Amino acid sequence: MLDLLKEWPILACCLATITITGAAGSFEPVLPIHMRDKYNSSTIIISIVFIAIVIPNAFIAPFAGKYTSKERVLEKVAPYGRFSFMVVGSLVQAMLIACLGATTNIAGLVVNLVFVGFAGGIAAVPILSTMGVHVERMGGDAYAKVYALFNIAYSIGVIIIPTVLPPIMNAVGFAATMGVVAAILVFGAIVLAIHPTIMLCKNGRSAYIGDSALPFL
C-alpha cells in the first residue's frame, strides 16, 4: 500500500477523497446549528433541507459514472481525463459552498445546496475508477489494496474535517466556516491538477490526440 501511495495519481486521488468527502460531511455538524440560530428551524425542517444535498448527488452519480467511462469524452479533456471531472466538480462546489453564508432565507439555502449536491457527485464519482485504471496500467492486481486506501482516505475526510468545523464556527461564524470548507476543496482541486498539467506542459496537447496518443487517466 505504501508503494501505491508513491504513485502520484493514487496519492492525489486519496487527497481528493479526503477533501471531497470531508466537504460533503461538513454540513452535518454546522448546518443544523446555523438553521436553528438564524431561521429558528425545527428538527423536521432541518432534516428536510438535508434532502436537498442527497437527492441531487444520487441523481447525478449514474450520469457522471457513464461519461467518465467514455473514451470519446475523456479524449476531449486530455490529458486531464477523469481528473477534469474531479477538478471542475470541486471548484464549482467550492464556489457554491462559499456563497452559502450569503443566503438570507431557507429557500435560497435549499437551492444552493441542490447545486452543491450535483457538483459533489460529479467530483466524487470518478475517484475510485481513476485509481483502478492506474493500478491496471501499472500491471498489478492490487485492486483490494487501492480500495482499502480509498476507504482510509474516505474515513479520514468524514472524521477530521467535520470534527474541526464546530470550533471554527464558534470562533468565526457560519459564513467564514463555509469559506474554510471552500478553501479545502480548492486545495484538493489544485493537487489533482498538478500531474496532468505537468504532462500537458511536457508533451503538449497534440501528444494526446490520435491513434498514437500517449496514455492518460
Side-chain angles (χ1 to χ4, degrees):
M1 290 175 70
L2 290 176
D3 289 337
L4 284 173
L5 284 175
K6 293 177 184 177
E7 297 288 324
W8 178 252
I10 299 294
L11 180 60
C13 284
C14 287
L15 292 173
T17 302
I18 293 173
T19 59
I20 292 169
T21 59
S26 66
F27 300 106
E28 295 178 19
V30 298
L31 187 58
I33 298 172
H34 172 68
M35 293 185 64
R36 182 198 64 194
D37 294 344
K38 185 169 184 177
Y39 304 116
N40 196 28
S41 300
S42 65
T43 54
I44 295 176
I45 295 298
I46 293 172
S47 59
I48 291 174
V49 167
F50 269 92
I51 297 175
I53 306 173
V54 177
I55 291 181
N57 195 300
F59 177 79
I60 198 66
F63 294 97
K66 175 182 178 180
Y67 286 104
T68 54
S69 298
K70 286 184 176 292
E71 293 297 329
R72 178 171 52 84
V73 174
L74 297 177
E75 287 173 358
K76 292 182 179 180
V77 289
Y80 291 88
R82 292 174 177 84
F83 284 102
S84 63
F85 290 86
M86 292 182 258
V87 170
V88 172
S90 294
L91 292 177
V92 171
Q93 191 178 21
M95 289 187 291
L96 292 167
I97 289 176
C99 294
L100 274 175
T103 55
T104 57
N105 52 60
I106 294 180
L109 186 70
V110 169
V111 171
N112 198 314
L113 290 174
V114 166
F115 288 103
V116 168
F118 278 120
I122 293 172
V125 166
I127 294 176
L128 193 54
S129 63
T130 304
M131 297 171 78
V133 169
H134 186 70
V135 168
E136 183 178 356
R137 289 181 181 174
M138 288 171 62
D141 56 353
Y143 298 108
K145 292 179 181 178
V146 81
Y147 186 67
L149 286 174
F150 173 82
N151 281 340
I152 292 170
Y154 184 95
S155 300
I156 292 173
V158 298
I159 290 174
I160 293 181
I161 295 178
T163 300
V164 302
L165 288 182
I168 295 175
M169 182 172 171
N170 288 336
V172 298
F174 178 76
T177 303
M178 293 296 98
V180 171
V181 177
I184 292 172
L185 283 167
V186 171
F187 169 76
I190 292 172
V191 170
L192 286 166
I194 289 175
H195 182 67
T197 301
I198 292 174
M199 292 170 61
L200 181 63
C201 294
K202 181 180 179 180
N203 302 309
R205 176 77 172 85
S206 59
Y208 301 95
I209 302 174
D211 295 334
S212 59
L214 295 175
F216 61 92
L217 294 171

